[in-house]
Amino acid sequence: MEFLRHLVVLIHLVGFAVLFGAWVVELVNGKRAITRLMNWGLAIAGVAGLALAAPWGIEYDLDYAKIGTKLVILIVIGALLGIGAGRQRKTGSVPPAIFWLIGILTFANAAIAVLWR
């Protein structure tokens, strides 16, 4: 059971890697656009995160403050992706503040997952 939980942790981190990697690609290319890959990365990280929030296969208490913080950040990232995609369709570009917040919050959420103990 512990192996399965570690596998879900890996999938969770891969989801954030996909989201952050797609963001970095857009940053380096100078496009600053919202891509479908960003949405997929967010969905993978979110579903795996919800699976990790369930108390299965562990013999310790869950850190609900960490789970809540990561969930709020995930929801904000999702909202920013939605707002950015809407603005992108309407005007052809994503506002720089929204684009940068997506990257910063994604990095922060991954950092919380790894460093908060």
Side-chain angles (χ1 to χ4, degrees), residues 9-113:
V9 168
L10 175 64
I11 292 168
H12 182 61
L13 293 176
V14 166
F16 278 113
V18 168
L19 172 57
F20 191 69
W23 181 83
V24 169
V25 167
E26 293 301 312
L27 177 67
V28 170
N29 286 338
K31 294 181 183 178
R32 294 187 183 159
I34 304 298
T35 64
R36 190 179 310 176
L37 194 56
M38 291 178 185
N39 292 322
W40 275 103
L42 184 73
I44 292 167
V47 169
L50 289 175
L52 288 171
W56 53 276
I58 59 171
E59 295 158 2
Y60 53 87
D61 291 332
L62 293 173
D63 188 348
Y64 292 109
K66 176 181 176 180
I67 292 169
T69 302
K70 287 181 56 60
L71 181 61
V72 167
I73 293 172
L74 187 82
I75 290 169
V76 171
I77 293 169
L80 290 171
L81 284 173
I83 293 167
R87 295 263 176 100
Q88 183 175 307
R89 278 192 302 272
K90 189 174 183 179
T91 65
S93 65
V94 177
I98 290 176
F99 182 79
W100 282 100
L101 274 173
I102 291 168
I104 291 166
L105 290 174
T106 301
F107 185 81
N109 216 359
I112 289 168

Side-chain angles (χ1 to χ4, degrees), residues 66 110-117:
K66 176 181 176 180
I112 289 168
V114 173
L115 300 175
W116 187 335
R117 295 284 169 193

